[in-house]
Amino acid sequence: RQFKQMEAAEAGMADAEQSVDKKSEEATDDVTPNSNSRGFQGTKDRWGFLVSDEFHRHLQLTPEEVALRKEKESERALKWVKMKGNWTKYCATGPKYVKMKRRARKGIPDSVRGFAWFQLCGAMKVKKKFPNPWAIDTKNVSDTVIDEIGRDVDRTFPQHEMFYHDGGPGQESLRRLLTWYAALDPEVGYCQGMGFIAALLLSYMIEEDAFYCLYAVLTRPSAPLRLLYLPRMEETQKVLFVFGELGEKFLPKLWTHLNDEGIHHTMYFTEWALTLFSRGFSFDLVTRVWDVLMNEGSYKIVYRVSLGILKYFEQQLLELKFDKIMALLRDLPRHIDANRLMEVTWSVPLKTEDVTQAEAKYAESLSQKAAIAAARMVTSSKK
């Protein structure tokens, strides 16, 4: 159930670059001095992560740019507050949904993000189904699942102010959320990437609402993320295949170069796919991805942003050999400005039909493999 491909990729990147600063949860502007119980000294960003001064300098913006971004966010916040008062007009079935979609893609202001996510992902329906999460019977959750959750809780956002205290309220909330979900979905139980998603939600809303959102995003019909975490991980294999097809189509020159250097996309994309960027990237980017995912309910945004990241660094990657490519792939989150990356991301001409065609090709390849396997069995039985 552990992400062996992710771990192998991480090990390879570690070998390629020995001097990487691993404090990878950072933001791009407001920071305040802080320190934590684990002894880490640094600054706290606007999302509550503790980052080193050296790490933050990679994404340092000019005071003018910081002021401009704050001004734009304030303007957008006023628009979202106005939408909040007329929510049904802007939801997916409302007459003004196009405006909602456009605004969500520009980024939901932090001041209304928790409310918006809850409304957009269908959490209210979950709340009606399970009005009291504390009453969920967790007796049948296996000891193995409980142990897996316990091991990972301490490793989930250890530099975030909510989660860095061992056994603190944040960690206990995270533990409960994952246990509640495991009790309701024993087929999935728990899988490693789920913890980062649950922690992301907890950073924006109270424990019960975070649980409703977690259950909603994992089970929503349009993009049931739970499929990524099933024991055989068949959906994950499909997602990896699809991204390979999309990369070859939209970034052919870079794709050829990476393949020639022995860099397979599973070495970096597996983690992006399973955590939906919630591990290792700045919350400035993570929240932008989740704004779109919550609103549009499609996994396509993960493909799009992944292509956007590679396009963002394409010229650098084309000039590098294996070791330096691996080093950059590990280090790239600290060099990403979310606003600029999203501009690049939306320039990728990815369409739903592109994803559909790649999925159909994957299904065809599975059918061919099944046919070959069946033929071999028939031949073997005749001997």
Side-chain angles (χ1 to χ4, degrees), residues 6 50 69 85 129 135 167 169 171 313 323 350 380:
M6 288 166 52
L50 295 165
R69 291 188 180 189
K129 187 176 181 180
Q171 287 195 358
F313 291 98
D323 288 352
L350 177 66
S380 178

Side-chain angles (χ1 to χ4, degrees), residues 118 121-133 184 208-209 211-217 219-220:
F118 185 90
C121 73
M124 186 58 72
K125 292 181 180 178
V126 180
K127 184 174 182 177
K128 291 177 180 178
K129 187 176 181 180
F130 306 108
N132 181 15
L184 296 176
E208 292 83 358
D209 287 353
F211 166 71
Y212 299 138
C213 285
L214 177 66
Y215 189 92
V217 298
T219 61
R220 68 198 303 183

Side-chain angles (χ1 to χ4, degrees), residues 21 23-35 40-45 49-61 159 334:
D21 179 354
K23 281 79 174 181
S24 57
E25 287 84 14
E26 82 286 358
T28 61
D29 46 31
D30 307 317
V31 294
T32 55
N34 213 326
S35 63
F40 176 73
Q41 300 291 327
T43 53
K44 185 176 73 172
D45 66 23
F49 284 100
L50 295 165
V51 295
S52 69
D53 291 333
E54 185 274 334
F55 192 87
H56 176 66
R57 277 196 294 272
H58 283 281
L59 291 175
Q60 190 171 7
L61 303 175
Q159 301 299 334
R334 74 173 66 198

Side-chain angles (χ1 to χ4, degrees), residues 182-244:
L184 296 176
D185 189 354
E187 185 181 16
V188 169
Y190 168 74
C191 199
Q192 199 173 7
M194 295 165 59
F196 291 97
I197 295 173
L200 168 66
L201 297 170
L202 278 170
S203 70
Y204 275 97
M205 57 196 77
I206 63 173
E207 185 172 329
E208 292 83 358
D209 287 353
F211 166 71
Y212 299 138
C213 285
L214 177 66
Y215 189 92
V217 298
L218 288 176
T219 61
R220 68 198 303 183
S222 60
L225 299 181
R226 66 179 294 277
L227 298 180
L228 292 170
Y229 307 117
L230 289 170
R232 297 180 62 183
M233 303 188 86
E234 294 174 348
E235 184 73 6
T236 303
Q237 295 303 315
K238 183 183 81 172
V239 164
L240 294 173
F241 179 91
V242 170
F243 183 66

Side-chain angles (χ1 to χ4, degrees), residues 194-292:
M194 295 165 59
F196 291 97
I197 295 173
L200 168 66
L201 297 170
L202 278 170
S203 70
Y204 275 97
M205 57 196 77
I206 63 173
E207 185 172 329
E208 292 83 358
D209 287 353
F211 166 71
Y212 299 138
C213 285
L214 177 66
Y215 189 92
V217 298
L218 288 176
T219 61
R220 68 198 303 183
S222 60
L225 299 181
R226 66 179 294 277
L227 298 180
L228 292 170
Y229 307 117
L230 289 170
R232 297 180 62 183
M233 303 188 86
E234 294 174 348
E235 184 73 6
T236 303
Q237 295 303 315
K238 183 183 81 172
V239 164
L240 294 173
F241 179 91
V242 170
F243 183 66
E245 294 294 304
L246 298 177
E248 188 173 1
K249 178 175 183 176
F250 291 102
L251 299 168
K253 185 177 180 180
L254 177 60
W255 218 249
T256 298
H257 175 66
L258 292 177
N259 286 332
D260 288 346
E261 290 299 320
I263 307 291
H264 195 266
H265 61 277
T266 56
M267 299 170 73
Y268 54 88
F269 178 69
T270 305
E271 180 172 310
W272 301 353
L274 292 171
T275 65
L276 289 81
F277 305 101
S278 60
R279 181 187 182 195
F281 286 87
S282 163
F283 258 36
D284 201 15
L285 174 62
V286 175
T287 53
R288 293 289 299 275
V289 174
W290 279 82
D291 288 344
V292 178

